[in-house]
Amino acid sequence: RANTEAIIAAQGAGSYAAAICDSLVVGDYDDWFLPSKDELDLMYKNLKKPRLGGFGGVWFWSSSQYSNNNAWKQDFSDGYQYNANKTTKLAVRAVRAF
């Protein structure tokens, strides 16, 4: 959650991965955030690999920064993590702590 809050503080309002997750409301839950690269990797290993969670074999953004212009992404077809320019359009999977 801290990464998502830091991204929004730096970027302000807009339609980008962290802001989309932060503004998400599903039922009574409004505490969603963009997962870090480590959280995203746990989702891949514990949900995607055993075929849980409805994940496709797509790239997902993480909230972990790689450099000023790049952030970490994860390929859910093979589990590899790479960096990509922050302007690249990729899938987003919001998470919440419980």
Side-chain angles (χ1 to χ4, degrees), residues 8-54:
I8 292 169
Q11 297 292 324
S15 182
Y16 52 92
I20 291 167
C21 291
D22 185 64
S23 65
L24 181 63
V25 177
V26 177
D28 293 332
Y29 301 105
D30 64 355
D31 56 347
W32 300 91
F33 58 93
L34 184 64
S36 69
K37 73 186 216 62
D38 294 334
E39 291 164 328
L40 202 57
D41 194 49
L42 286 172
M43 292 166 64
Y44 174 78
K45 290 175 180 171
N46 295 306
L47 296 173
K48 167 63 164 104
K49 284 184 81 173
R51 301 186 196 290
L52 302 171

Side-chain angles (χ1 to χ4, degrees), residues 1-5 7-8 16-23 31-37 39-40 43 60-64 71-72 90-96:
R1 176 156 268 300
N3 285 357
T4 297
E5 292 170 356
I7 293 166
I8 292 169
Y16 52 92
I20 291 167
C21 291
D22 185 64
S23 65
D31 56 347
W32 300 91
F33 58 93
L34 184 64
S36 69
K37 73 186 216 62
E39 291 164 328
L40 202 57
M43 292 166 64
F60 287 97
W61 274 122
S62 82
S63 64
S64 301
W72 286 99
L90 300 174
V92 175
R93 184 75 173 229
V95 297
R96 52 187 297 273

Side-chain angles (χ1 to χ4, degrees), residues 58-80:
V58 299
W59 291 95
F60 287 97
W61 274 122
S62 82
S63 64
S64 301
Q65 181 166 293
Y66 178 82
S67 67
N68 284 343
N69 296 319
N70 290 23
W72 286 99
K73 63 180 181 174
Q74 184 153 359
D75 185 348
F76 267 54
S77 67
D78 60 18
Y80 287 106

